Amino acid sequence: METIDRAHLAAQTFGDADLAAELLGLFADQCRRILPRLADPALPAQDRADLAHTLKGSAASVGASHVRDLSSAAETALRGGGDGAAAVADLEPVVAACLAEIG
């Protein structure tokens, strides 16, 4: 199953394969940096919600719609006073699948 909408990514990068590869690399790096912090219950909920918001925007830009949707759910849960643990748990395997697809 593809986790990245390649048509969306091509439209965002005007068909520039090098730019698409660069964006995917940046997205992968961001996933690797953000996800552990997002899952850290010691970090204040507002900070974690901000991280989820950042990941949501990055995912949207590369066409990773499932990551976008789950990041949005995490952000909503955290901003609503929840701990976001279930949303983050749902997000982790989807991010892993994206990272595997990106390579």
Side-chain angles (χ1 to χ4, degrees):
M1 174 179 101
E2 284 193 1
T3 59
I4 308 281
D5 180 343
R6 299 294 174 157
H8 174 84
L9 182 59
Q12 291 293 98
T13 59
F14 304 101
D16 184 330
D18 290 336
L19 180 57
E22 182 178 348
L23 287 178
L24 287 174
L26 292 170
F27 174 66
D29 289 344
Q30 195 167 50
C31 286
R32 290 183 189 104
R33 282 192 325 271
I34 287 177
L35 196 57
R37 295 179 64 215
L38 186 57
D40 182 359
L43 199 62
Q46 183 63 38
D47 292 349
R48 293 171 62 215
D50 291 345
L51 290 167
H53 181 81
T54 298
L55 188 57
K56 176 179 72 175
S58 296
S61 71
V62 299
S65 60
H66 204 178
V67 172
R68 178 200 63 214
D69 295 346
L70 292 172
S71 296
S72 180
E75 178 185 13
T76 299
L78 289 160
R79 293 202 195 282
D83 68 3
V88 172
D90 290 343
L91 182 59
E92 288 172 336
V94 176
V95 167
C98 277
L99 293 174
E101 184 179 326
I102 292 169

